[in-house]
Each structure stands twice: as structure tokens, then as C-alpha cells.
Amino acid sequence: MAQETDDSRTQRVEITGSSIKRIASETSAPLTVIKAEEFVKQGLTTAAEVLSKIPANQSTVGLGNAVGGNTSGLPTGGQASADLRGLGGDKTLVLLNGRRIANHPYDGASVDLNIIPITALDRVEVLRDGASAIYGTDAIGGVINFITKRSVTGATITGEVVEPKMDGGGEKRFNIVAGYGDLNKDGYNVFGVVDYHKQKVITSQDRSFSKTGVIPSRGLSLTSGTTFPGNYFDPTSGASGNPGFATGCNPPFSVPSTSNTTCRQDYTRQIDDIPESEQTAFFGKGTMKLGENHTGTIEYLHSESKVVSRTAPPPQTGLILPKSSPYYPGNSGGVPAQPGLSGDPLSVNWRPLEAGERQINSKGTADRVVIALEGELAGWDYKSGLTYSVSKSAENFTGGYVQDASFAAGVLNGVLNPFGLQNAAGKAYLDSTALRGQVQDAKVTTTGLDFKASRELMALAGGQLAIAVGAELRKEKADFNVNQAIASQASSSGLSGSLPKTGSRDIEAIFSELNIPVIKDLEIQLAARMDNYSDVGNTFNPKIGIRYQPTKELLFRGSASTGFRAPTLFEKNAPRSKNDTNDSYDDPVLCPGGVPQPGANPLRDCDLQQFKLQGGNPNLKPEKSRTYSVGVVVEPIKDVSVALDYWHIHLRDKIGALPEQSIYANYAKYKDLFLRNPDGSPFAILDLNDNLGEVKTEGIDLSFSARLPKTDFGVFTLTVDGTYVIKYDYQNERNGPFLSSVGQYSDNNPTFRWRHNAALNWVYGPWGATIANSYNAGYHDQNQVDDQFKQDVSSYSLWNVSASYTGFKHIALTAGIKNLLNTDPPFSNQGTLFQKGYDPRYTDPVGRAYYVRGSYTF
């Protein structure tokens, strides 16, 4: 019979948020624990999906963000990351069994959640206050600790299928967990987990709410001026247009402009909502007792993640079409003559649909080895470990991309037709310009050695005074490589100007913690940590926690701490690259208000994605924070518990790139950031990483749980967890004005006023059932539309139901429905992401999906 084994005797355990072992109970820190069985009940198939149910997690960067990531200069490699308190994934510390994992190499700031095999987990503990004094200076938003099973005997094989009602997005998962040896009886245990998960693609055309970026009834017209058929501009006469305009351009992919005779590309029609993905992981752990009081362990994690993302065919701008080309309007190639042309060469913007969608295959791998020893020695509980983690990612062009120079030459020499389909010679030439191969890769390596010990020192009025001390050594190294032989040939990749870079740092830390039971009902936690970064200097971060429980039914708690996040190696050393902006803009000099000025090229300067020059900044200062929280836990009647916790975070010197929307919205203020070529044409906006200013955010967490009295119909349990954000104010520059994002889309994203997750569980013998609800409040939209179309995004509520049966010997069955009511994501007019019509960061485009899961244990 396969089962997780453990010591049944009462013992002291280490709880996330403290280095001192104790009997498990409510602590001074607000802690959310999600058991592995809850993953099954709610049909959660990935670590990212699990964390999306945590109300304190404001957003989740997921697979949808991989679509178009390179072209906007923010390659994700398909990673998924958490974002406690909306401060960014770089301020949420993710641990596996209490130790760090190497961050994803493309940002160097957050762990890719795709590498966590949830089948290996026993639970997830989410510490919702700052823990920089305990785990590391960067735990500003909180800590997420994925805790694996301690030991396993026997074997369990599990298969799971998720089948959406609509096309695309289907999932399948297979895993096996097997172990041998009883740690308490045999003195050892060895177990392993193999997990495979695959999800099918959802294209924008698979869902009605994402089909198009052109919705006149909503005032939405998010399109590109680089189209098929191509738009032309005559620099001599100033005439511009499109030969296909009179016949409606090329519906539905391109549509007539409402302001001139050019066409606009509805590129949303040729992207993915969720790209195809595949994850494979192995986790193995061996544990052996070394005498009566010592235990040695070795852990190994290997994970691979593959993502195939597609965006619209490659835009080609500034092409030169001479009068000698048969495809010059009015010549022999069949392109109709156009009014106002001078006969001089034309400038053409063209998106060759025949080249196909741009396709990038991303592959990420992670390896982690931990050798650890723990036990009791001379009255001390000790724990020590050596950790080696490597995170790699690589991206390959596998379709759609073309060699810019060769492509432009084909237009110049008259082989390629920018205004229609290619003839045989043109098709053969277009095929010859295809660009394939690895375009970039990155690697982050983390090596760490840690030691900590705790013991009781003396008796006080309220109990035993306990102390913990520890030290940590860590070395981080990062390499960022761009294959210029490939990238330099494709400006649409967003990587053509990037150069390889590398960086490394050493971190040394010592820390200590005291647990002081002042009187019977009052306990004080004092902690402090000193870190030395080889590249940014020293930092000292203290923490105080207070726990007061005057009665069994009433608990007061509070904490205050400081934090310090050093800029990541990527933020400091990332190669500069010239990338497309997320949104389309008018050049403030050459096309103010959408009106071309003398010398302007409307195909380049008006209502088009412009360029931004992004990259690292070696002069970045660390981020610093102050965090405090106060809360109360009440048990008004038996088996009913209510917890309220107020939290406040003040972050200084936030690291990031100035939002492009801010730069274009205030040309007078940011004039120096607009870089131009010698002829006055736009080159790019300068938008490097910088210390932008302060963030002040505060809110209230609510937790409610009730276990109803047992009835003839079984046992019912109700849980509700919610977060109410009172304030989220931030600056885009030091000493600048504070902006608010609570309940409104501000710059790049909104902050939800209220989020909750609720579940009602029922157990009756071998039967079980769960109904769960997740809810996001509405918010004021981005609203870069005419006044009559400005709107609020409606609230978003999803219901999941499941049922389980364990009455068959060795077999456990679960079936359920995700998104029971088939609720579509609410409409959003945001233009920041490639997906349009909704916001994929906060919603699920899958729709109603049926799932079944079966396990066989032997």
C-alpha cells in the first residue's frame, strides 16, 4: 500500500517563517497552507494554477505571456511566476523544502513555477509578510515554500485528462510516485516522482472574445500599419495609400484605415492565446538515519519545459520599391496605378502572410541537487545543506522569420510583390529568406552552503527561551547569450541589437532568531540578518514578531521588518536591445496627434509600434522596504476560525523600466529619452532599467474556516480566503507624483481591490465533493479609446466542482468541471499584451473544461 510515511510521535517541526523548531500552531506571521489533496479537489494541474488561487497573489505571469515576449523585449521563455502583493515576482521568494531554486535566466529575478512537479508535493506554505531576516533579504512580498513529501513507500500511478468544451487547451498528465523503506523502522527511505504534463494550444480564433483587435462597438482598433497588402509612401509627392484599399484590403486579416487610404493589420487574428506546452520533471529523494539523532538526505530535481508560441507574420518596414519593379503601381506586375505618385522609389511597409506566423520554440531546463544533514547535537537541533542549482533557457526560430537584408533585396530587385500573392519565382525567393536556428540562450547557476541550529536556552515565565543561529554562503553566476548570426538578420525578433553579457556575485549572510515567551500567553520573536553582496555592499535587516493569546479562542499577532533586494544580475547586466513598444504610438515630433508633419513618413511615424532601447544598468541601487502587519485570529465557537490581518509595505528605489505609456504621454518631460537618427527620424526611446521611486501598499487579508458538526449526510467544511487592497500608490521616478493602481489600470496593469477563493468540501465515507469559487473584483480599464467607449472591466468569478470516490481497493477516482458556468473573461480594451479583447494575466481563456483523474496504488 503506497503512502507517505512520517513519525507519528509528537515532535517539534520547522514552520515557514521561523528557524526554530516548535509544536505546530498559529505563529506571529500570517501563513496560508494548501495541502496536496486540495490540488486534486479543485483540478489544479500546475504550480502556477495553485498559486493563482492565493488572493495575496495579485497576478501570475504564465504561458500566455510567452506570446510576443521577444518582440516587446521581454522574453519569458514560457516561464510562470508568482507576484505576492503585486510588487513583482522579483520580490516573492520561492523555496523548495526551505531552500532556494535558481531563478529563471531571462529575468534572473523569479523562479519558473513550471519546474515544480506538484505530484511530489505534500503542501505549499505561503508566508504573507516580509521574511528577509529569516530566508534572505529579497523576501519583501512574502515567501512561497513548496514542501515535498517526506518519504514514500509503495507506488502510485496517476493519469489525468482535462477536456475543454471549446476547441484547444486540452491537457493530459501522467505521473508515478514510488518509494521503498520505512525511515523509522528500516532507517532509510528512497522515493522518486516522474511527472509529465502537456497542454494543447488555444489560438485567438478558438475563442470568440479574442478573435480580433478591431471591435467598433467597443471603440477598439488595436492594429498595425504594417500589412498585407503592403502600404506605400512616396517621399517625393507625399502620397500614401494601399492598392488593396478600394477592395477592402485583405479581410479579415487587414482592414481599411478610417483616417486615410492605407490598410491596417488585425494581427490579433494570428497569435496564440495559450501556446502549446509540455513539461517533464523528475524528483528523487533519499533519506537515511545516521545513528539515533542524525539524518542525511540527498535530493535531485530535473525539469524540462517546452513552449511553442506563435505571433503574426514578420512586419517589414522601410522597404524600397523602385520604378523598375514590375510591381510598382501601374507597371506590368498587375498592381493597379495609384494617384499622386511621382515615379520615384516608394517606401513600403509589408507583412508577408505567405511566410507564415512567427514561431519560437522555447526550452527551459532546471537541475537542482541538495545534500543535507540534520539532527540533534549537544542539545542543538541543527540543519545544514549544500545546494547546486542550474537554470537554462534557449529559444529557436522555427518558422515565419525572414532575413531582413535578403527580403529587402527581393523587393528592390523586383522579385517580391509587396501588394499581392507571389508568383512561382517570388514564392521560391520568399522561401529562401526563411530564418531558422537558435537565437538566444541564458544560464543562471546558484551554489549555496547553509547551516542553522536552534535550541532552548532557559525557562522564562511563559516557557522556554529558544534561539536559532545560522549562516549562508551563496554564489550566483549568469550568462546571457545572443546568436548575432541569427538575431542580426531579423529586426522583428527584438534581439537584433543585443550583445552577450555575463555577471556574477557572492553573498555571505549570518542570521539569528530569538523566541521569547515573556509570560504564559505572550511570545516575542526577534530576528536579524546581515548580508554582504560582493557587488552592492552590506545590509542589515531586523524583524520583530509578537504573538499574544489571552484565551484559547483569541489570538493577536503582529510583525515588523525591513527588506533589501539587490538588483539581479540580469537587471544590471542585460544586453541592450532595440525592441518594439507594446502599444502603438504617434511620434510626438513628426506626427503629433496623428497629423504627419513635413518630412514625416506616416508609415513609420504615425499610429505604429515604435522602438525602445532596453537593457541593464550597472549603476542600479538596491530596493529597500519596511513591512509591518497586525492581526487577530478568533474562534467564536468550536471548529470555526476567523483571521483578519492588516499589512503595510513601503518600498523605496523600485527597480524597473519607466513605462512606455508614461514616456509618450509627456514628451516635454521626457524629451531627452527620444533618440533620433542624424536625419531626424526616430531611432528609439531610451528605456533602461532604473530606480523609479517608491511604492506604498496596504490591505487586509481575511481567512475563514468552519467545520460543521457531523451529520448523517457527512461532514461539511467551508473555507474562504480573501485580500482587500486599501492602497497601492507608486512613483515612476524619484520624488515624482504618486499614482494609484487600486481598482484601475495604471501604466501597465491594475491592482485588484478584492480577490477571494472559497471552497465547500463534503466527505461521506469514501465519497467526497468540492465546490470552489475564485473571484476578482472589477476595475477601471486602460481606456486608450475615445471618451464614449471608456469603461470598467467587470468582475470575474469562476466556479469549479469535483467529486471523488475511494471505495475501490487501491483505486482513487476524481471527476470534475472547471469553470462550471463557462464564464468568458470580461472584455478589456488593454493594448499592452499581444492578446486583445481580454487580459490573459488575470483570466483563463480555456472556458468550461471537464476533467477526470484516476490513481492506482500498489
Side-chain angles (χ1 to χ4, degrees), residues 137-156:
T137 61
D138 48 351
I140 293 173
V143 176
I144 299 171
N145 191 6
F146 291 93
I147 300 174
T148 63
K149 295 173 172 60
R150 180 176 171 83
S151 61
V152 174
T153 58
T156 300

Side-chain angles (χ1 to χ4, degrees), residues 320-358:
I320 303 301
L321 182 71
K323 186 68 169 68
S324 59
S325 170
Y327 303 113
Y328 194 97
N331 282 0
S332 62
V335 180
Q338 300 294 298
L341 298 186
S342 66
D344 289 338
L346 302 179
S347 175
V348 174
N349 285 9
W350 174 31
R351 189 183 298 264
L353 297 195
E354 291 169 282
E357 292 172 292
R358 284 170 288 171

Side-chain angles (χ1 to χ4, degrees), residues 190-442:
V190 178
F191 78 91
V193 176
V194 177
D195 187 83
Y196 174 80
H197 174 253
K198 185 172 184 178
Q199 182 168 23
K200 295 180 181 179
V201 64
I202 297 179
T203 73
S204 64
Q205 301 308 290
D206 289 334
R207 298 294 183 266
S208 60
F209 52 79
S210 65
K211 282 181 177 292
T212 175
V214 181
I215 309 176
S217 62
R218 296 280 198 166
L220 197 68
S221 183
L222 296 170
T223 57
S224 169
T226 305
T227 65
F228 175 84
N231 292 322
Y232 65 80
F233 172 66
D234 186 338
T236 303
S237 69
S240 63
N242 189 300
F245 180 84
T247 56
C249 298
N250 182 42
F253 299 108
S254 65
V255 296
S257 171
T258 58
S259 59
N260 53 45
T261 58
T262 63
C263 297
R264 303 288 301 182
Q265 192 77 20
D266 188 3
Y267 58 84
T268 302
R269 292 184 173 275
Q270 292 178 284
I271 67 169
D272 295 338
D273 284 354
I274 294 180
E276 176 185 333
S277 65
E278 184 178 25
Q279 290 91 33
T280 306
F282 167 79
F283 177 81
K285 183 176 181 179
T287 307
M288 176 177 289
K289 284 188 175 293
L290 305 173
E292 181 67 23
N293 298 318
H294 309 282
T295 303
T297 62
I298 181 169
E299 296 178 9
Y300 175 59
L301 169 67
H302 174 77
S303 180
E304 296 184 3
S305 177
K306 300 176 182 178
V307 178
V308 179
S309 61
R310 285 172 287 263
T311 54
Q316 298 293 305
T317 61
L319 304 170
I320 303 301
L321 182 71
K323 186 68 169 68
S324 59
S325 170
Y327 303 113
Y328 194 97
N331 282 0
S332 62
V335 180
Q338 300 294 298
L341 298 186
S342 66
D344 289 338
L346 302 179
S347 175
V348 174
N349 285 9
W350 174 31
R351 189 183 298 264
L353 297 195
E354 291 169 282
E357 292 172 292
R358 284 170 288 171
Q359 179 172 293
I360 292 180
N361 287 27
S362 301
K363 181 179 180 180
T365 61
D367 289 276
R368 179 178 183 264
V369 178
V370 179
I371 301 173
L373 185 67
E374 63 179 295
E376 296 181 28
L377 183 64
W380 289 81
D381 292 317
Y382 74 90
K383 190 173 185 180
S384 180
L386 175 64
T387 305
Y388 179 76
S389 297
V390 180
S391 178
K392 301 178 182 178
S393 190
E395 294 191 303
N396 288 265
F397 292 161
T398 56
Y401 285 94
V402 299
Q403 304 167 34
D404 292 344
S406 178
F407 188 89
V411 175
L412 185 66
N413 62 28
V415 177
L416 294 178
N417 177 11
F419 303 120
L421 299 176
Q422 307 305 307
N423 58 24
K427 185 67 169 65
Y429 187 90
L430 179 61
D431 291 342
S432 74
T433 69
L435 191 60
R436 304 286 189 273
Q438 182 171 303
V439 64
Q440 67 176 358
D441 65 278

Side-chain angles (χ1 to χ4, degrees), residues 748-772:
N748 294 319
N749 55 273
T751 299
F752 293 99
R753 178 75 73 180
W754 171 256
R755 298 186 77 227
H756 77 238
N757 190 55
L760 177 64
N761 297 304
W762 167 73
V763 176
Y764 182 67
W767 292 95
T770 296
I771 180 168

Side-chain angles (χ1 to χ4, degrees), residues 604-757:
R604 178 196 66 203
D605 307 326
C606 303
D607 194 17
L608 198 73
Q609 283 181 289
Q610 303 295 323
F611 290 110
K612 54 186 176 184
L613 189 63
Q614 295 183 288
N617 180 355
N619 299 316
L620 288 174
K621 296 167 55 180
E623 299 176 333
K624 297 181 181 180
S625 69
R626 294 182 183 273
T627 301
Y628 65 85
S629 65
V630 292
V632 59
V633 182
V634 182
E635 188 175 322
I637 58 175
K638 182 178 172 57
D639 294 327
V640 175
S641 176
V642 181
L644 284 172
D645 290 280
Y646 167 84
W647 49 268
H648 176 97
I649 302 173
H650 182 191
L651 179 71
R652 303 186 305 280
D653 292 321
K654 176 178 170 61
I655 295 172
L658 186 64
E660 64 184 50
Q661 295 87 347
S662 299
I663 297 175
Y664 276 95
N666 196 337
Y667 174 69
K669 184 175 184 178
Y670 299 115
K671 181 178 181 180
D672 292 342
L673 299 182
F674 286 80
L675 308 180
R676 299 191 176 275
N677 297 309
D679 63 357
S681 60
F683 175 75
I685 56 171
L686 184 63
D687 199 16
L688 306 180
N689 290 330
D690 203 353
N691 293 105
L692 299 182
E694 300 180 29
V695 177
K696 298 178 181 180
T697 181
E698 60 185 275
I700 296 173
D701 291 335
L702 166 68
S703 295
F704 172 85
S705 65
R707 188 177 188 272
L708 304 183
K710 186 176 181 179
T711 69
D712 293 339
F713 304 102
V715 177
F716 293 86
T717 304
L718 174 65
T719 60
V720 180
D721 288 295
T723 294
Y724 182 86
V725 180
I726 299 170
K727 179 174 74 173
Y728 193 107
D729 295 343
Y730 68 98
Q731 295 172 305
N732 278 331
E733 57 190 351
R734 292 190 195 93
N735 303 317
F738 277 93
L739 308 172
S740 175
S741 66
V742 176
Q744 60 183 350
Y745 198 107
S746 185
D747 286 327
N748 294 319
N749 55 273
T751 299
F752 293 99
R753 178 75 73 180
W754 171 256
R755 298 186 77 227
H756 77 238
N757 190 55

